[in-house]
Amino acid sequence: MAPESAILIAVQIGSLRLESNLFLSPLAGYTNLPFRLTVREVGGLGLATTDLVNARSLLEKNPKAFKLIETSPADRPLAVQLFGSVPEEMRDASLFLESIGVASIDINMGCPVRKVCRVGGGSAMMTELDKTAKLVQGMVEAVKIPITAKMRLG
Ligand SMILES: Cc1cc2nc3c(=O)[nH]c(=O)nc-3n(C[C@H](O)[C@H](O)[C@H](O)COP(=O)(O)O)c2cc1C
């Protein structure tokens, strides 16, 4: 049951209907499957998101990346947060995630850490707007599920 004080409003993102406007943000090192299931048990969650996942690592079938997207039937609807700066990799990782039933894909455009920005991902994407717009366009055109972006001000 959702906490009685929570005001839940259904949300539509493209073709995806969510029962509530409460989302679990990506938290690297925390938002793994057990954590997401625990938060879902509290009730009222409209969408949960994974930790940020390197698109290339996913395509290379890196076991660590696969652990991050590990899911179960109770873990729905699920968004996977991708980071990367190579348009073809972001597009192909999106196609793969759609094929395994992920509900939506979030692009990490806010992470300031060196590991992510060094490869042109995270908040570095906001410094190259034309390149980023083309990358997003390639993802949006490749899949039917919604593509969202999470960014920070400042
Ligand atoms: C430990 C930790 C890990 C985070 N990992 C991510 C991440 O993987 N992707 C992302 O977009 N934001 C990440 N964030 C940012 C959060 O999703 C959130 O935007 C931020 O904490 C601000 O929300 P708050 O004011 O409720 O803390 C992380 C934040 C923390 C504290």
Side-chain angles (χ1 to χ4, degrees):
M1 285 288 286
E4 303 222 340
S5 56
I7 300 168
L8 306 182
I9 300 166
V11 181
Q12 188 87 27
I13 305 178
S15 55
L16 180 64
R17 169 98 181 158
L18 301 171
E19 293 309 315
S20 133
N21 55 336
L22 299 183
F23 296 0
L24 174 62
S25 267
L27 293 170
Y30 294 91
T31 34
N32 53 24
L33 177 60
F35 186 91
R36 296 194 304 269
L37 290 175
T38 303
V39 175
R40 287 183 193 280
E41 271 178 27
V42 176
L45 196 63
L47 184 71
T49 310
T50 63
D51 293 24
L52 79 174
V53 183
N54 184 325
R56 185 179 303 166
S57 298
L58 213 50
L59 295 171
E60 290 172 347
K61 309 229 178 296
N62 178 309
K64 281 190 189 154
F66 269 68
K67 188 74 187 163
L68 295 175
I69 63 162
E70 181 182 26
T71 186
S72 73
D75 185 34
R76 302 279 189 275
L78 177 67
V80 170
Q81 189 185 62
L82 284 179
F83 81 92
S85 61
V86 180
E88 295 76 17
E89 291 175 358
M90 292 292 273
R91 179 199 62 204
D92 292 349
S94 302
L95 283 164
F96 167 69
L97 292 170
E98 181 178 55
S99 78
I100 61 167
V102 165
S104 70
I105 294 163
D106 185 62
I107 306 172
N108 184 312
M109 280 193 206
C111 185
V113 306
R114 228 178 90 78
K115 187 182 89 169
V116 174
C117 292
R118 175 162 61 92
V119 294
S123 54
M125 293 181 94
M126 299 185 74
T127 64
E128 293 192 82
L129 294 185
D130 288 345
K131 185 174 175 232
T132 298
K134 288 198 183 82
L135 177 148
V136 174
Q137 188 179 6
M139 293 169 74
V140 169
E141 287 174 356
V143 297
K144 293 191 181 66
I145 57 176
I147 302 287
T148 60
K150 180 168 177 290
M151 55 186 80
R152 298 184 196 186
L153 294 177

